[in-house]
Amino acid sequence: MILITGASSGLGGAVAKQYVQSAQAITITGRNSQRLTETAESLAAIANDTDIVQAVGADLTQASDVAELFDYIDAAQQPLSTVVHCAGSGYFGDIVVQDNQQIQNLIDNNLLTTINLVRELVRRYQDKPVTVVVVMSTAALVAKAGESTYCAVKWAVKGFIESVRLELKSSPMKLVCVYPGGMDTGFWPTSGKDVDTSGFMSADEAAGMLVDALKSTQHGYVADITIQRG
Amino acid sequence: MILITGASSGLGGAVAKQYVQSAQAITITGRNSQRLTETAESLAAIANDTDIVQAVGADLTQASDVAELFDYIDAAQQPLSTVVHCAGSGYFGDIVVQDNQQIQNLIDNNLLTTINLVRELVRRYQDKPVTVVVVMSTAALVAKAGESTYCAVKWAVKGFIESVRLELKSSPMKLVCVYPGGMDTGFWPTSGKDVDTSGFMSADEAAGMLVDALKSTQHGYVADITIQRG
Amino acid sequence: MILITGASSGLGGAVAKQYVQSAQAITITGRNSQRLTETAESLAAIANDTDIVQAVGADLTQASDVAELFDYIDAAQQPLSTVVHCAGSGYFGDIVVQDNQQIQNLIDNNLLTTINLVRELVRRYQDKPVTVVVVMSTAALVAKAGESTYCAVKWAVKGFIESVRLELKSSPMKLVCVYPGGMDTGFWPTSGKDVDTSGFMSADEAAGMLVDALKSTQHGYVADITIQRG
Amino acid sequence: MILITGASSGLGGAVAKQYVQSAQAITITGRNSQRLTETAESLAAIANDTDIVQAVGADLTQASDVAELFDYIDAAQQPLSTVVHCAGSGYFGDIVVQDNQQIQNLIDNNLLTTINLVRELVRRYQDKPVTVVVVMSTAALVAKAGESTYCAVKWAVKGFIESVRLELKSSPMKLVCVYPGGMDTGFWPTSGKDVDTSGFMSADEAAGMLVDALKSTQHGYVADITIQRG
C-alpha cells in the first residue's frame, strides 16, 4: 500500500491521481478532514472504485497523530510499500518583513512534520523494504533571496534525511529525495510571493515524471531527482 | 561595541574573554540571568574593569526580547560594530530514540533564535557596516549518523544565512559563517552523546583562531571559516 | 536521433540496447573502431534492423574529431534530439601510488572529452531543443579516499556542466546530470580497485531506470538523477 | 621553512612579502627563472636580508621537476613547515568561444600542478606536521556563467583535496583550503574577462588576512577560509 501525505492539493494530489489511475491502492492523509474526504471521493471517482482510497486524518506536527496513522495502516491488510511525503507549506518575502507566526508555521509544517513522520517510519519499518519519498524543493539545494526561511526549512529537511540515510546504511528501507523546481500548483497565490507561473510545470507533469522515476530494480533505485521546468 | 550571544559558556565565553583581554567593550546576552551576571563579573575581573561588560538578559526565541535587547544597545553610546552569535544547543542520538520535547528545544534554540536575531539585525542595521558572525558547526556542512536533527537545524541556519546574504548584496552589513569542529566546551557531557574529547580543541584555542580570523581590511573580509581539531 | 558515447561497454552499452529495443535510431561513437563495429552489429542483431545503428569513430579528446562527428550527424536526415554521454574511464588508488600517465589519461578521458563534446554541442545546437545527458558518478558529489584523482575529474565535469547550464539559461537545450553509484559494468576489474560487485546494479538495471527518468514533459524534465545500488 | 608557489605575482607574491617582512625564511618556486630571480631579489630587499629567500625554478606540470624541488628542500637545513600553493592561471569566456590550447593550459596549470605537488608532499611528509595551504578561488564553490572551464579545474582541485584529506585522516599533515573572491592582482587584464576591479581587495589585503588565519594552535587549525571583497 502507498501512503501519500499532502494529497489534498498540488504535487501530492497529482501523485495520488497517478496511482489510482493505475489501480494502485493508496492511503491519503491530511489535517483538514473535509478537504481530505473530498479528495478521497474525487480520487475514487477517477478510479471508479470506492475501495481504492483510504483517508486518514492526521496532523503530522503531532507525534501522537503520526503514531495513530501508522497504527491504522498496520491494522490494514496490505503492507506499506511506499510513502510519498508531499505535505508542506511555503512562506516568502525578504527577511525584514517576515512575520513571527508565519515563520513558526513554516518550521512546523515542513521540518517538524518530516521529523515526526520519518522517525515513526524508521521505528516501525527499518527492517522492511519500504521506500520513503521525501518531496522537498530546489530551495533545499541553493540559497535564494526572498526565500530565506523557506530555504532554511528545506535545507533542514535535506540535512535531516541525508543523516538518517547514514543511520539506515544496512537497512532495506530506502529514502528518496525529490527536488521539484517551479510548479504551478496553486501554492504560489497563497505564498506571499508574486510569481508568473505561466511557463511552470503543472503538478500533473511533475507527478508523472516522479512516479516514472520511482520504479526501482532488484539492485538499485533512483535516490535523488531534481525536476526542473523548461 | 561587540555583542556576544551564548557568552555564558563554551565558545561564546571564550570569545568574550578574548575581547575583554584586549580591552574591547562587550555586551553579553543570555536567558539565564544568574549565570549571565556571574559571567559578566568574571569577565570584568579578568579585564580589571567593571565597565567593560554589559549583561542584558534576553530569550532569543522571543522576538520581543530580541527587539528589547537592541533597544538597549541602541540607547547606549557606542555603536554596534560586531555581533558574535554563539548561542545554541546540541541534542544527539539515532533518530529512533529522539524525544519530542528535545527536538522542539533544538529547533527553537538553534534555528528560531538565529532567525529572530538576524531579522532584527537586518531591520536595524542593514545600512551600517555591522559584522554579524554566526557560529554554527561542521554539522552544518555534512550529514552525520546519530546527529540527524542537529544536522537539520545547522543546515537550516546555513541555508537561512546564505539566503539573507543574497538579500544584503549591496549592504555594508557582512555575514560571517563559522563552522567549528569538535571542541571540548562542556557541551558534550550534556548532549546525550558519548565522546572522547581529550584531543579536542579547547574553546580558548578556537576563540583565539576565530577572533584572529575576524580582522577585516578595507576591501575584504574572511566570510567563512571552518576550524578543525588536529 | 540519439547519440550515445561510450556505447561499447558498461552503462553506455546498456543504454544503447534500451533504445534499439524500443526501435529508436541511434548513433554510437567510440575510439576503438573494431569494438565499435562489433557493438553496432550486436545492437543491430538485437533490433533485427541493420539500419537502426550508425557507428562513427571519434576520439573525443580531439576537438577536430568531435567536429567531424557532428558534421556527419548534421549531414544525416534525422535531427539530433538527445545525446547520452557515457564515455569515461576510471583510475583509483591512494594518491601516493598514482602514476603520471594514468592521471593524464584520466583527465583526458573524463574532463577534456566532456569539454570538447559539450562545447561543440552548444556551438551547434544551443537554439534547438536538444537534451544532453552527462553521465558522471556519485564520485562527482562526494570526496572519497582512494579515488582522489577520479573525484577530481568528476567534480570538474560537474562544475563545468553547472556553469554551462547558467550560460544556457534562455536556451531550449537542456543539460541533464546523472550520478550512478556502484554498478557492475566490467569497469572495476580494470580500474585498479578491488571491489566486491556482487550486490551492485547491473548496467542494464541502471540503464532502464535512466531511460525511464529521461522522459520529459512539455514544461519540465528530470534535470539531475542519482542512481544508487540497494 | 615555508615554500610558496606562484610567488612571482598576485596573492603568492603578497604572501611571500608578508612572511619576509616578519623575518621568516621562504623558498619560492616558479616556471619563469628570470621573474623568479627578480622576485627573490625584491623580497630580499624588503627584508634587507639576502639569505631569507631561496628561489628554485620548477615547472609543476612536470612530476620530475616537483621531485627535484623537494630534493633541494630536503637537502637544506630547515625542515619544511608550510607550503602555500598559489600557482595557477585563469581563462574565461562563454564556452562557445573557448580555445583548445587555452583550455589545455588551464587544466595543466591548475589541476595537474596541484596533483603533482600534493602527491609529492604526501609521499615525503605524510608523517610530519606539514601544513599545506591550497589557494583556490570562490569559483571552486559555485558555478559561474562565463567561467565554465575555470570552475571545472577549481572544482577538480577541491574534489581532489577533499579526497586526499580523507586519506590523511590519521596523519599530522594538514590540508588547508583557501577560497579568495575577487582580488585585484594583475590576473584580470590577462584573463580574457573584462572586470572592474576598483572595489576589489588588493593582494596585500588578502595575504594579510590569509597569513593571520593560518596561525594554528596545539589542537586545532583553520581548515577552510573564504575571503570575500566588500
Side-chain angles (χ1 to χ4, degrees):
Chain A
M1 199 264 309
I2 296 164
L3 171 69
I4 302 167
T5 75
S8 299
S9 63
L11 185 60
V15 167
K17 207 164 67 177
Q18 290 275 335
Y19 281 120
V20 299
Q21 280 173 337
S22 56
Q24 292 196 261
I26 63 172
T27 299
I28 62 174
T29 188
R31 207 162 8 191
N32 184 322
S33 297
Q34 198 191 326
R35 264 179 87 189
L36 197 64
T37 308
E38 287 166 13
T39 303
E41 283 168 3
S42 101
L43 288 165
I46 288 170
N48 201 18
D49 176 356
T50 52
D51 294 336
I52 204 164
V53 185
Q54 301 298 318
V56 186
D59 178 352
L60 302 181
T61 66
Q62 302 300 318
S64 54
D65 272 34
V66 176
E68 283 168 27
L69 168 64
F70 288 102
D71 285 345
Y72 176 91
I73 284 171
D74 288 345
Q77 287 172 312
Q78 292 182 289
L80 185 69
S81 65
T82 303
V83 180
V84 187
H85 175 43
C86 299
S89 67
Y91 175 54
F92 303 99
D94 285 350
I95 187 59
V96 289
V97 299
Q98 291 210 356
D99 169 77
N100 291 336
Q101 188 54 53
Q102 300 261 35
I103 291 170
Q104 191 60 63
N105 293 348
L106 189 73
I107 294 171
D108 290 348
N109 291 341
N110 292 282
L111 178 54
L112 194 58
T113 52
T114 304
I115 291 173
N116 283 339
L117 180 72
V118 170
R119 184 180 54 175
E120 193 68 31
L121 286 164
V122 177
R123 283 179 178 165
R124 293 189 187 228
Y125 312 112
Q126 62 178 304
D127 298 327
K128 304 247 160 59
V130 172
T131 299
V132 179
V133 181
V134 181
V135 177
M136 301 179 224
S137 156
T138 51
L141 302 173
V142 291
K144 303 190 183 192
E147 308 192 11
S148 60
T149 53
Y150 187 66
C151 287
V153 296
K154 292 302 185 188
W155 286 46
V157 170
K158 184 173 200 293
F160 173 69
I161 296 295
E162 300 281 9
S163 297
V164 175
R165 273 180 171 171
L166 299 176
E167 297 179 16
L168 292 176
K169 235 178 167 173
S170 46
S171 159
M173 177 177 268
K174 290 165 196 162
L175 301 183
V176 175
C177 296
V178 180
Y179 306 97
M183 270 181 296
D184 181 16
T185 62
F187 174 92
W188 295 100
T190 62
S191 72
K193 196 163 186 182
D194 189 18
V195 173
D196 173 10
T197 61
S198 56
F200 281 28
M201 286 174 280
S202 68
D204 284 338
E205 287 181 293
M209 289 186 284
L210 173 54
V211 169
D212 267 2
L214 290 181
K215 285 169 195 152
S216 62
T217 64
Q218 193 186 348
H219 299 102
Y221 66 107
V222 173
D224 303 274
I225 324 163
T226 308
I227 301 176
Q228 296 282 12
R229 69 172 178 268
Chain B
M1 199 266 308
I2 295 162
L3 172 68
I4 301 166
T5 75
S8 299
S9 64
L11 185 60
V15 167
K17 206 163 70 176
Q18 289 276 335
Y19 281 121
V20 299
Q21 280 172 337
S22 57
Q24 290 195 263
I26 64 173
T27 298
I28 62 174
T29 188
R31 206 160 12 188
N32 183 323
S33 296
Q34 198 191 326
R35 263 179 88 190
L36 197 63
T37 308
E38 287 166 14
T39 302
E41 282 167 3
S42 102
L43 288 166
I46 286 168
N48 200 17
D49 175 357
T50 53
D51 292 338
I52 204 165
V53 185
Q54 300 298 319
V56 186
D59 178 352
L60 302 181
T61 65
Q62 302 300 318
S64 54
D65 272 33
V66 176
E68 283 167 29
L69 168 64
F70 288 102
D71 285 345
Y72 176 90
I73 283 170
D74 288 344
Q77 286 172 312
Q78 291 180 291
L80 185 69
S81 65
T82 304
V83 179
V84 186
H85 176 43
C86 299
S89 66
Y91 175 53
F92 303 99
D94 284 350
I95 186 60
V96 289
V97 298
Q98 292 211 355
D99 169 77
N100 291 335
Q101 188 54 53
Q102 299 262 36
I103 291 171
Q104 191 60 63
N105 292 348
L106 189 74
I107 295 172
D108 290 348
N109 292 340
N110 291 282
L111 178 54
L112 195 57
T113 53
T114 303
I115 292 174
N116 282 340
L117 181 72
V118 170
R119 184 179 56 175
E120 193 68 31
L121 285 165
V122 177
R123 282 178 178 165
R124 292 190 187 226
Y125 311 112
Q126 63 177 302
D127 298 327
K128 305 246 159 62
V130 172
T131 298
V132 179
V133 182
V134 181
V135 178
M136 301 178 224
S137 157
T138 51
L141 302 173
V142 290
K144 303 189 184 194
E147 307 192 13
S148 61
T149 54
Y150 187 66
C151 287
V153 295
K154 293 304 185 186
W155 286 47
V157 170
K158 184 173 200 290
F160 174 69
I161 296 295
E162 300 282 7
S163 297
V164 175
R165 272 179 171 172
L166 298 177
E167 297 180 15
L168 292 177
K169 233 177 168 175
S170 46
S171 158
M173 177 177 268
K174 289 165 198 162
L175 301 183
V176 175
C177 295
V178 180
Y179 306 97
M183 269 183 297
D184 181 17
T185 63
F187 173 93
W188 295 99
T190 61
S191 71
K193 196 163 186 181
D194 190 20
V195 172
D196 172 10
T197 61
S198 57
F200 280 28
M201 287 175 279
S202 69
D204 284 339
E205 288 181 292
M209 289 186 284
L210 173 54
V211 169
D212 266 3
L214 289 181
K215 285 170 195 152
S216 63
T217 63
Q218 193 186 348
H219 299 101
Y221 66 105
V222 173
D224 303 274
I225 323 163
T226 307
I227 301 176
Q228 296 282 12
R229 69 172 178 269
Chain C
M1 200 266 307
I2 295 164
L3 172 68
I4 301 167
T5 75
S8 299
S9 64
L11 185 60
V15 167
K17 205 163 70 176
Q18 289 275 335
Y19 282 120
V20 299
Q21 280 172 337
S22 56
Q24 291 195 264
I26 63 173
T27 299
I28 62 175
T29 188
R31 209 164 4 192
N32 184 324
S33 296
Q34 198 192 325
R35 264 179 87 189
L36 196 63
T37 308
E38 287 166 13
T39 303
E41 282 166 3
S42 101
L43 288 166
I46 288 169
N48 200 18
D49 175 357
T50 52
D51 293 337
I52 205 166
V53 185
Q54 300 298 319
V56 186
D59 178 351
L60 302 181
T61 65
Q62 302 301 318
S64 54
D65 272 34
V66 176
E68 282 167 28
L69 168 65
F70 288 101
D71 285 345
Y72 175 92
I73 284 171
D74 288 345
Q77 285 173 313
Q78 291 182 291
L80 185 69
S81 65
T82 303
V83 179
V84 186
H85 175 43
C86 299
S89 66
Y91 175 53
F92 303 99
D94 285 350
I95 187 59
V96 289
V97 298
Q98 291 209 356
D99 168 76
N100 291 336
Q101 187 54 53
Q102 299 262 36
I103 292 170
Q104 191 60 62
N105 292 348
L106 189 73
I107 295 172
D108 290 347
N109 291 341
N110 292 282
L111 178 53
L112 194 57
T113 52
T114 304
I115 292 173
N116 283 340
L117 180 72
V118 170
R119 184 179 55 176
E120 193 67 31
L121 286 165
V122 177
R123 282 180 177 163
R124 293 191 186 224
Y125 311 112
Q126 63 178 302
D127 298 327
K128 305 246 159 60
V130 171
T131 299
V132 179
V133 182
V134 181
V135 177
M136 301 179 225
S137 156
T138 51
L141 301 173
V142 291
K144 303 189 183 192
E147 308 192 11
S148 60
T149 53
Y150 187 65
C151 287
V153 296
K154 293 303 185 187
W155 287 46
V157 170
K158 183 174 200 293
F160 173 68
I161 296 294
E162 300 282 8
S163 297
V164 175
R165 272 180 171 170
L166 298 176
E167 296 180 16
L168 292 177
K169 234 178 166 174
S170 45
S171 158
M173 178 177 268
K174 290 165 197 161
L175 302 183
V176 175
C177 296
V178 180
Y179 305 98
M183 270 182 295
D184 181 16
T185 63
F187 174 93
W188 295 101
T190 61
S191 72
K193 198 164 186 181
D194 189 20
V195 172
D196 172 12
T197 61
S198 57
F200 281 28
M201 286 175 279
S202 68
D204 285 338
E205 287 181 293
M209 289 187 283
L210 173 53
V211 169
D212 267 2
L214 289 181
K215 285 170 195 151
S216 64
T217 64
Q218 193 186 350
H219 299 101
Y221 66 106
V222 173
D224 304 273
I225 323 164
T226 308
I227 301 176
Q228 296 281 12
R229 68 170 178 268
Chain D
M1 200 266 306
I2 296 163
L3 172 68
I4 302 168
T5 75
S8 299
S9 64
L11 185 60
V15 166
K17 206 163 70 177
Q18 290 274 336
Y19 281 120
V20 299
Q21 280 172 338
S22 57
Q24 292 195 262
I26 63 173
T27 299
I28 62 174
T29 189
R31 207 160 9 189
N32 183 323
S33 297
Q34 198 192 326
R35 263 178 88 189
L36 196 65
T37 308
E38 287 166 12
T39 303
E41 284 167 2
S42 101
L43 288 166
I46 287 168
N48 201 17
D49 175 356
T50 50
D51 293 337
I52 205 164
V53 185
Q54 301 298 319
V56 186
D59 178 352
L60 303 181
T61 65
Q62 302 301 318
S64 54
D65 272 34
V66 175
E68 283 168 26
L69 168 64
F70 288 102
D71 285 345
Y72 176 91
I73 283 171
D74 288 344
Q77 286 172 314
Q78 291 181 291
L80 185 69
S81 65
T82 303
V83 179
V84 186
H85 176 43
C86 299
S89 67
Y91 175 53
F92 304 99
D94 285 350
I95 187 59
V96 289
V97 298
Q98 291 209 356
D99 168 76
N100 291 336
Q101 187 54 54
Q102 300 262 34
I103 291 171
Q104 191 61 63
N105 292 347
L106 189 74
I107 294 172
D108 290 348
N109 291 340
N110 292 281
L111 178 54
L112 194 58
T113 53
T114 303
I115 291 174
N116 282 339
L117 181 72
V118 170
R119 184 179 55 176
E120 193 68 32
L121 286 164
V122 177
R123 283 178 177 166
R124 293 190 185 225
Y125 312 112
Q126 63 177 304
D127 298 327
K128 304 246 159 64
V130 172
T131 299
V132 179
V133 182
V134 180
V135 178
M136 299 178 225
S137 156
T138 51
L141 302 172
V142 291
K144 303 189 183 193
E147 308 192 11
S148 60
T149 54
Y150 186 66
C151 286
V153 295
K154 293 303 185 187
W155 287 47
V157 170
K158 183 173 199 295
F160 173 69
I161 296 295
E162 300 283 7
S163 297
V164 175
R165 273 180 170 171
L166 298 176
E167 296 180 15
L168 292 177
K169 235 178 167 176
S170 46
S171 158
M173 178 177 269
K174 290 166 196 160
L175 301 183
V176 175
C177 296
V178 180
Y179 306 97
M183 271 182 296
D184 181 15
T185 62
F187 173 92
W188 295 100
T190 62
S191 72
K193 197 163 185 181
D194 189 20
V195 172
D196 172 11
T197 61
S198 57
F200 281 28
M201 286 176 280
S202 68
D204 285 338
E205 288 181 293
M209 290 186 283
L210 173 54
V211 169
D212 267 3
L214 289 182
K215 286 170 194 151
S216 62
T217 65
Q218 193 187 348
H219 299 101
Y221 66 105
V222 173
D224 303 273
I225 324 163
T226 307
I227 302 176
Q228 296 281 13
R229 67 172 181 268

